[in-house]
Amino acid sequence: VREDREAAAPRGLPAPGTRAPAPAGKFYGGGLPAPRSPALAGGAAAGGSRVYVGNLSWHTSWQSLKDHFRQAGEVVHADVMQHDGRSKGCGIVAFATAQEAANAIATLGETELDGRTIFVREDREAAPPTAGSGGRARAGTVQTSGCQVYVGNLPYTTSWKELKDHFKVAGNVTHADVAQDGGGKSRGFGTVLFGSTREAAKAIQIFNESEFHGRTIEVRPDQYS
C-alpha cells in the first residue's frame, strides 16, 4: 500500500506531467506571450488588409477614396495623407479582410479616380490607422518624409504623366504632379513621390542638372514632404 501519486492536483494547479494552458494575454515558456487567434491578433488592420494608393489627384477627399474602393469590399477606413492641410497625393484604405485588400490591388490598380490613374499596392507600414474626426486617420500616419523630390525649370508643356514616366528610371514612382496656377497653366515646377528614400536619392543623383525636353531641370529633396 502506497500513496496514490496520480491523485487529482489541488485546484488551480496542473496534474503532474501535464501543462496548464496559458491564458490569453499571459506569458509562458520563458516570457513568450501566449499565442492568440488571428482574429484577435490585430483585428482588421493586420494580415495585409490595408492598401497604399498613389498618384491621387490633389482634389481627392477621403470620402471619394473610400467610395471608390468599396467596389473591392468592406472599407473600414480611408485617408488621404496631408502636409499643412494640402494633399500629398497618396492615401491608405483599410479593408475588413486581407482577401478584400488583395481584390482591391487586383481590380483597382491602374483605374481612374478624379481624372488620375491610381497606383494600388499592399501597405508596407505596420501601424494601424488612428481614428480621427469623421472616421479619418490623423494626417501623416504613413511616413513619406524624404521620398519626394522637387523638380524645377520644367517646360510649361510638361504633363504629370510625362514627368512620372521620365522619373521611373530611378524607381517606383507612386505620384507625380506639375504645379498649376488658378487658370490651370503650369508654373514650371512639380513634385515626384517615390516608394522609398533610396529611390528619391537616386533620382536626385541621376536627374539633377540633366536635360528634359530642352531644359536643364533642377532636382532636390522636397522640403514640404
Side-chain angles (χ1 to χ4, degrees):
V1 180
R2 63 170 172 79
E3 180 184 0
D4 181 12
R5 295 171 185 163
E6 302 299 328
R11 181 175 298 179
L13 296 176
T18 65
R19 185 178 185 178
K26 301 296 183 181
F27 290 83
Y28 74 105
L32 296 175
R36 295 186 295 167
S37 68
L40 297 176
S49 60
R50 284 159 43 107
V51 298
Y52 172 90
V53 187
N55 204 37
L56 290 175
S57 165
W58 300 129
H59 306 294
T60 298
S61 66
W62 69 267
Q63 184 64 61
S64 59
L65 181 64
K66 183 175 183 178
D67 291 343
H68 185 73
F69 275 78
R70 280 176 174 162
Q71 303 172 63
E74 180 187 351
V75 176
V76 297
H77 174 87
D79 191 46
V80 174
M81 298 298 103
Q82 296 181 348
H83 177 80
D84 290 340
R86 177 190 175 193
S87 170
K88 298 178 77 172
C90 57
I92 292 294
V93 179
F95 289 91
T97 67
Q99 290 80 3
E100 290 170 326
N103 185 37
I105 294 171
T107 62
L108 296 178
E110 303 298 322
T111 60
E112 187 174 301
L113 174 60
D114 294 335
R116 301 293 295 262
T117 301
I118 60 174
F119 171 79
V120 186
R121 62 163 168 78
E122 183 179 355
D123 178 32
R124 294 169 188 157
E125 298 290 332
T130 304
S133 59
R136 300 173 60 189
R138 212 167 39 226
T141 53
V142 174
Q143 180 59 257
T144 59
S145 178
C147 296
Q148 186 161 287
V149 299
Y150 166 92
V151 186
N153 202 35
L154 288 173
Y156 291 107
T157 56
T158 302
S159 68
W160 68 265
K161 187 70 167 62
E162 290 174 315
L163 186 62
K164 181 177 182 179
D165 290 342
H166 185 69
F167 275 78
K168 281 180 178 177
V169 175
N172 177 29
V173 176
T174 60
H175 181 86
D177 200 52
V178 174
Q180 298 179 336
D181 61 21
K185 295 181 179 179
S186 170
R187 296 175 64 187
F189 66 90
T191 55
V192 180
L193 179 65
F194 289 92
S196 69
T197 55
R198 179 177 297 180
E199 291 168 329
K202 183 178 179 181
I204 294 170
Q205 182 180 15
I206 294 174
F207 294 116
N208 186 40
E209 297 187 351
S210 66
E211 186 173 312
F212 179 64
H213 292 331
R215 303 193 70 165
T216 301
I217 59 175
E218 174 195 5
V219 184
R220 57 174 168 77
D222 181 20
Q223 60 181 329
Y224 298 110
S225 65

